[in-house]
Amino acid sequence: MQPSSEFWTKVLFFHEGDEYFEEIEKSIRAAQEEVLIESYIFELDGMTLHLLNVLSEFQQRGGRVQILVDGFGSYSWCDDLQKYCSENNLEFKIFRPLPRSKKWFRRVWVSVFFKFLIFFRGINRRNHRKTLVVDRTTAFIGSFNWTMVHSKKWTGAKAWRDSGVCLEGYPVEFIRAAFKNSWAESRRSFFRSLTKKSKSLIVWNRLSDHRPIPLRINTRNRDKLRLSRDLIRRFKKAEKRIWITSAYFLPKRSFLRALRKAAKRGVDVQILWPGPTDVPAVKWAAYRILVSLIQAGAQIHEYQPSVLHAKYLIVDDWATLGSANFNHRSYFHDREIEAEFDEPEYVAELMSQWKKDRVQCQTVQLKDLQNLPAWQKLVSLIAYRLRYLL
């Protein structure tokens, strides 16, 4: 769908991994100058190796490829990715890498002992974005990591349900700037990554403080605070609906209060989250808050066919889609990116997909939560106490 927009000249939604990565491959093959890839998880599997080969062909034609992965999310594949990129002349960096060899022990007393608090602050702040920028003109964002679990072609009917969007328009410049900032901050050394500051944040400040953009990018701490306040304000002003799709639903208390108040005043508050999940601890922790939401009038639905990994939100006639979950990590620790939409055509398309997902859900009943076994309630309590880390 490509109607006129103040910001975007092209908006194309994807709700299946095969279609999303096929469009990415098409864009890479048509690229002329550069391809920038940012992914929290980047696995080496059949699908990603095929795309890496396409990227290598582009590099051989004279293009520039930069791949940035998160040191925690892609921990198991960093060494192999580093080797592949080195052999194929692809630029590769790790955002806040974790130690991957015994050599780091020799530097513990120098680099960690005297920077204990910096260590834990840095290690908990990850780059959770999933973006791809081609030639400064086209960008892909959403919740698709570079892994074949999103592809029915490679994994069958149990492929994860995800969402993404292809965008063209002047705000692509800001997506590229956010990538470049994270790229400049990324270091090969685990210890240096915790102590070195990036000068590229100055460039980001100049861009993001001028000219409104339909993007929610939380590069700076003040961005995190501003975006959180904006979302709470929207919940308070909501009149018709608040529909949330989140793979990991564990909101902070201020969000929870705003949702409960909205439900009590008659707003249609509904949350879609996964039935099958890859992180059970988040669901265990969330059981502590579901009771109060349901009692206030909200509805909770569990998606059944496969893992629901999509992340989009609809508040009245405004919507977002991107990498951010509705939890503490996304709003206060991790780097995230979302696109905003208030054009009726785009919001209607996301509403249509939300309804399709809703049909394949089971509604959580209040009595089931109240009658949980004692051991599950204990596990839920412990997990909830650790919610700031989940």
Side-chain angles (χ1 to χ4, degrees), residues 14 16-23 47 144 150-154 159:
F14 299 92
E16 290 188 1
D18 291 320
E19 295 177 356
Y20 182 77
F21 285 107
E22 285 172 6
E23 187 68 21
M47 186 192 78
F144 290 98
H150 304 292
S151 168
K152 290 183 179 179
K153 176 182 176 180
W154 290 92

Side-chain angles (χ1 to χ4, degrees), residues 222-234:
R222 72 188 194 194
D223 295 327
K224 294 179 172 67
L225 182 60
R226 174 179 56 83
L227 294 174
S228 297
R229 288 175 174 174
D230 174 71
L231 199 54
I232 292 173
R233 177 181 60 82
R234 291 181 184 275

